[in-house]
Amino acid sequence: MSKDTDSFETLDPQDWEQSKALMHQMVEDAFDYVKNIRERKIWQEMPDDVLKTFESQIPQQPSDAESVYQDLQKNVLPYPMGNVHPRFWAWYMGNGTISGVMGDFWASIINPNLGGGNHAGHKVEEQVVNWIKDIVEFPKSSSGLLVSGGSMANYAALAVARNVKAGYDIRTEGLRENNLVFYASTEVHSCNTKAVELLGLGTKGLKKIAINKDYTINIDALKKQITEDKANGLQPICVIATSGTVNTGAIDDLNAIADICEKENLWFHVDGAIGAIAMLSDTLKPQLKGIERADSVALDLHKWLHMPFEAGCVIIKDNESHKKTFSLIPEYLEKNTRGLASGENWFSEYGLQLSRRFRALKIWMSLKEHGSQRFGRMITRNVEQAYYLGDLVKNHKDLELLAPIGMDIACFRYNPRGKTLEELNAINKEIKLQLEEQAIALPGYTTLDGAYCIRCAISSHRVTNEDFDVLVENVLRLGNELG
Ligand SMILES: *Cc1c(COP(=O)(O)O)cnc(C)c1O
């Protein structure tokens, strides 16, 4: 047993000074980790001896915190996902901020439950949500909730949309008949499909509409589908617009969709997981015109706002409908008029989660430290970098841009003329993997019209133009070697 079995056992440090010294060391190491990020590999495969360590059984006895930290240093820290590195452009990720780290640290220290209650944590989240309403130009009377990310934000918004537009008390009755229909383009993010399935409508409850050449939803096709569905006895309820598609960064015509929704009495939802926060960028804001007309917006703060994971947000214009979808107050959650259990609008009444972490604090601290304009400038710079990369691609005869640059996403491939589609796909797939394995850069990939492409989602506040020079140089080198 531990050295002081006669003392009162808790989970606090047995030696506060020693524990504090270890934490100080971690702070030293963590700052070096971020500061020297370029000196380490973006990503590397975990060797077998490291993998083996993750098979050990649950520790039943205490060990000292120093050795736990050594374990972390040896087996976890060298094998990151890589998204903190400036040359990581896969999927769509943010980098984190030091102020975000500080916020997460204090959130864990004070460790409040943001389900509800009259305490400062609630006020911080309320304020952060109010700031986000301002960013997307929604009225103060709207409601909002911080959630884990875009998936949960879209889910919450689509649930409200279904309940409001069904035309009967679907929450009590369940589905009367399965004829409700959501609409989105074929480029819609898969989390919306999952949401519609979970809302009881099945995959068929989300109709995917054809896109234009620039990967935005085809408005005429959308109108036609709605008319046809109504004639066939279906009940259209909602259009999901995407501002910043995950493949190419395309922004649907928000005003055109708003007009259709007004005319047809449909809920207008914007999946702005990538792009809604780009309202902070002077360059992109004009392209997002119409977002303020939406009934709901889902956005991610762990993408282009660089908050440490997880941080997403849903904003709903009609507070009452939002609350009606999720509020359920059993006797053990009834509110008092005074004390901790008082206060209006508990966040647990606006979503599925009862216990909720204090994710607002990192956002609050980061926005206070950096100010919204600096975040906007970081977004704008990424857009310029996407065009910089696009120019490098356009200016080389063996490279080909495969889609218009949307926001900060560029899709291209190595293409020395005279190869078949299959050959090109195989070469580009191999280029992408070797870039990754040689720890040169970590771009993403997607397939557009059957063509495999190297996809760079440039959401890094650390990346410089030279990083794209290095990328292009190496794509050409590898292409030459493979071609
Ligand atoms: C990333 C993304 C999502 C999902 O968000 P998560 O934060 O990963 O849950 C939804 N929609 C779009 C357009 C996205 O890019």
Side-chain angles (χ1 to χ4, degrees):
M1 266 307 284
S2 60
K3 55 188 179 221
D4 49 354
T5 31
D6 24 292
S7 73
F8 181 69
E9 188 173 36
T10 79
L11 300 176
D12 281 333
Q14 293 196 330
D15 181 334
W16 285 92
E17 288 309 314
Q18 195 184 348
S19 182
K20 191 159 55 166
L22 177 64
M23 193 74 192
H24 277 295
Q25 186 59 49
M26 287 191 194
V27 172
E28 292 286 327
D29 296 347
F31 272 65
D32 287 345
Y33 184 93
V34 177
K35 205 167 141 223
N36 303 325
I37 191 78
R38 279 183 183 274
E39 286 158 31
R40 287 191 315 278
K41 288 193 169 169
I42 306 176
W43 177 89
Q44 59 179 328
E45 196 77 64
M46 286 175 275
D48 286 344
D49 60 324
V50 168
L51 286 172
K52 264 223 127 35
T53 64
F54 298 109
E55 289 167 17
S56 58
Q57 300 292 311
I58 182 169
Q60 297 202 3
Q61 300 303 332
S63 74
D64 58 288
E66 284 79 7
S67 70
V68 176
Y69 183 44
Q70 279 164 16
D71 198 3
L72 171 82
Q73 284 176 304
K74 187 156 170 279
N75 297 316
V76 178
L77 296 183
Y79 309 102
M81 178 173 221
N83 53 300
V84 178
H85 196 284
R87 284 196 203 149
F88 184 99
W89 309 306
W91 298 297
Y92 199 102
M93 309 240 177
N95 308 143
T97 62
I98 293 291
S99 35
V101 171
M102 293 171 178
D104 262 352
F105 173 77
W106 272 108
S108 290
I109 292 283
I110 49 183
N111 197 28
N113 185 330
L114 266 288
N118 175 18
H119 57 98
H122 186 87
K123 287 288 151 201
V124 172
E125 180 158 346
E126 243 176 27
Q127 185 169 29
V128 166
V129 167
N130 282 335
W131 290 343
I132 295 169
K133 287 177 203 169
D134 277 348
I135 291 173
V136 296
E137 298 185 345
F138 266 44
K140 223 6 180 281
S141 57
S142 321
S143 53
L145 183 77
L146 295 180
V147 290
S148 59
S151 304
M152 288 309 292
N154 282 311
Y155 177 76
L158 300 190
V160 181
R162 184 200 67 169
N163 289 11
V164 169
K165 295 296 181 186
Y168 55 94
D169 184 2
I170 198 169
R171 188 168 167 188
T172 311
E173 287 186 43
L175 283 176
R176 268 187 201 161
E177 102 187 86
N178 193 349
N179 66 343
L180 308 177
V181 191
F182 286 81
Y183 300 85
S185 88
T186 50
E187 292 292 295
V188 71
H189 192 278
S190 57
C191 71
N192 293 290
T193 307
K194 286 204 225 176
V196 172
E197 288 169 359
L198 283 170
L199 290 171
L201 308 182
T203 313
K204 70 174 179 61
L206 175 59
K207 291 225 174 160
K208 296 197 183 163
I209 306 299
I211 46 171
N212 302 311
K213 275 209 167 60
D214 62 0
Y215 293 87
T216 60
I217 191 167
N218 184 311
I219 296 294
D220 288 334
L222 172 64
K223 285 183 188 161
K224 220 172 119 206
Q225 189 67 51
I226 292 171
T227 308
E228 193 181 307
D229 287 350
K230 280 165 90 174
N232 287 329
L234 296 176
Q235 187 184 340
I237 53 170
C238 169
V239 181
I240 305 167
T242 306
S243 68
T245 59
V246 70
N247 269 335
T248 69
I251 307 170
D252 286 335
D253 184 342
L254 302 181
N255 268 322
I257 294 173
D259 289 343
I260 296 175
C261 289
E262 258 171 39
K263 180 162 167 276
E264 302 282 350
N265 188 27
L266 309 179
W267 186 276
F268 173 27
H269 173 63
V270 175
D271 178 357
I274 291 176
I277 204 70
M279 288 289 280
L280 292 176
S281 154
D282 297 337
T283 315
L284 290 184
K285 192 174 173 180
Q287 298 180 35
L288 296 162
K289 265 248 142 307
I291 198 170
E292 74 287 350
R293 294 172 66 190
D295 292 298
S296 53
V297 176
L299 63 157
D300 256 330
L301 309 164
H302 56 215
K303 287 181 175 169
W304 229 348
L305 205 72
H306 300 294
M307 289 305 108
F309 290 99
E310 303 160 339
C313 183
V314 59
I315 304 284
I316 310 258
K317 201 167 269 165
D318 180 13
N319 189 323
E320 212 38 49
S321 306
H322 189 180
K323 199 165 178 176
K324 257 185 162 156
T325 297
F326 290 106
S327 181
L328 202 167
I329 304 181
E331 62 278 14
Y332 44 83
L333 290 176
E334 265 169 22
K335 291 176 204 163
N336 292 324
T337 50
R338 289 163 31 218
L340 173 60
S342 64
E344 293 295 302
N345 300 330
W346 288 13
F347 288 112
S348 54
E349 290 183 75
Y350 288 88
L352 274 180
Q353 278 187 286
L354 175 55
S355 294
R356 305 172 64 251
R357 65 174 275 109
F358 191 9
R359 49 170 63 91
L361 189 57
K362 59 190 169 194
I363 308 167
W364 191 77
M365 286 176 67
S366 293
L367 277 168
K368 277 182 181 255
E369 183 187 333
H370 296 295
S372 62
Q373 291 186 0
R374 176 179 285 167
F375 282 104
R377 286 193 296 275
M378 298 298 100
I379 292 173
T380 298
R381 189 168 70 199
N382 286 153
V383 174
E384 289 162 3
Q385 288 168 330
Y387 282 91
Y388 178 80
L389 172 59
D391 285 342
L392 293 179
V393 167
K394 282 187 207 154
N395 292 336
H396 199 287
K397 64 175 180 26
D398 290 345
L399 298 174
E400 181 188 13
L401 211 53
L402 288 178
I405 288 166
M407 295 198 161
D408 56 338
I409 301 180
C411 294
F412 70 101
R413 68 177 171 183
Y414 175 72
N415 183 5
R417 312 299 139 159
K419 303 250 183 246
T420 65
L421 179 66
E422 284 67 36
E423 285 167 338
L424 285 177
N425 286 355
I427 292 174
N428 280 283
K429 202 177 258 185
E430 187 58 28
I431 291 175
K432 139 88 188 143
L433 283 172
Q434 290 204 23
L435 286 170
E436 195 171 315
E437 285 162 355
Q438 294 174 20
I440 293 163
L442 220 154
Y445 57 92
T446 191
T447 302
L448 297 173
D449 251 345
Y452 182 94
C453 42
I454 298 172
R455 168 185 166 279
C456 292
I458 307 167
S459 51
S460 169
H461 60 82
R462 305 193 168 112
V463 67
T464 65
N465 282 1
E466 290 76 60
D467 288 309
F468 301 105
D469 297 338
V470 172
L471 170 72
V472 165
E473 206 174 284
N474 280 281
V475 167
L476 290 168
R477 171 182 64 82
L478 290 165
N480 257 319
E481 284 169 24
L482 295 161

